[in-house]
Amino acid sequence: MIDDKTPLEAVAEAAQDYCRLIEQVRANQLAEWLKCVESALLRLDASVRRLASQEPYHAYKLAHDLDARFESYLRLKRYLDHYDELSPEPEITGYNDLGLGNLSENLIDIYFEVRRGLASYEAGMVGDQSAQRLWSNGYRNYWQQHLQEARKRLDLIRLAG
């Protein structure tokens, strides 16, 4: 089946799925939830890369929603518990560059930036506040690093069993 979605529609769909997962985390379903988040991040990464390749570079400003981010971070951290600070065993190579915070922090930073673009998409905003520009430039300038870090941490959790 050929995917006939535009790059913007593909990111919007991936963003909706990712945001729904972050909003619906449950401690009793954590293992399955982590697998779904890993899959959603993969889809989000692929779709936003495609979108960003079509958008010229522009400056990006983070939203000033620190209180909401912190409250969400604490909520997610409570659910993730010991997974949140998991460190690689010394003999496992490829994870020595982990350094952009714990899993909760990365997932919440991605969530708020993706949700910001989703709100713009749903409102049909144009110009500097368009979803395409927010997602493309936010990804390139800020949350791409968080996404890569989260994917590594999720991979590490899977390896740890």
Side-chain angles (χ1 to χ4, degrees):
M1 186 171 134
I2 297 174
D3 188 0
D4 60 348
K5 292 181 187 78
T6 67
L8 186 61
E9 291 168 334
V11 175
E13 186 177 282
Q16 289 167 339
D17 291 345
Y18 178 75
C19 289
R20 188 173 26 259
L21 283 167
I22 297 300
E23 293 162 2
Q24 296 177 355
V25 61
R26 301 289 181 265
N28 62 342
Q29 302 168 353
L30 196 54
E32 183 62 31
W33 182 84
L34 287 168
K35 289 177 190 173
C36 291
V37 168
E38 190 171 19
S39 176
L41 287 176
L42 185 62
R43 271 186 55 224
L44 185 61
D45 191 25
S47 61
V48 80
R49 281 179 191 267
R50 186 171 157 223
L51 180 71
S53 72
Q54 300 175 356
E55 175 75 18
Y57 177 84
H58 297 280
Y60 182 74
K61 292 182 182 178
L62 286 172
H64 297 285
D65 49 7
L66 297 178
D67 289 339
R69 283 180 194 243
F70 187 67
E71 288 173 20
S72 295
Y73 161 75
L74 290 176
R75 180 182 64 83
L76 188 58
K77 186 169 182 55
R78 184 177 67 242
Y79 284 115
L80 293 179
D81 194 24
H82 69 278
Y83 289 126
D84 205 39
E85 303 289 342
L86 190 64
S87 296
E89 296 295 326
E91 65 273 2
I92 299 177
T93 59
Y95 297 93
N96 55 353
D97 60 344
L98 291 174
L100 288 174
N102 56 38
L103 182 58
S104 296
E105 184 179 342
N106 284 294
L107 294 177
I108 290 300
D109 279 344
I110 296 164
Y111 169 79
F112 272 86
E113 295 307 310
V114 167
R115 191 179 77 169
R116 181 178 171 199
L118 194 54
S120 175
Y121 178 81
E122 291 168 350
M125 298 179 82
V126 296
D128 289 345
Q129 295 302 311
S130 73
Q132 182 159 340
R133 191 169 282 181
L134 288 173
W135 281 326
S136 295
N137 293 307
Y139 175 79
R140 287 188 286 232
N141 293 301
Y142 180 67
W143 59 271
Q144 178 182 17
Q145 293 173 319
H146 288 286
L147 192 144
Q148 290 169 351
E149 177 86 6
R151 288 185 60 200
K152 281 184 179 181
R153 289 188 179 278
L154 288 165
D155 191 44
L156 186 60
I157 290 168
R158 193 170 15 84
L159 287 173

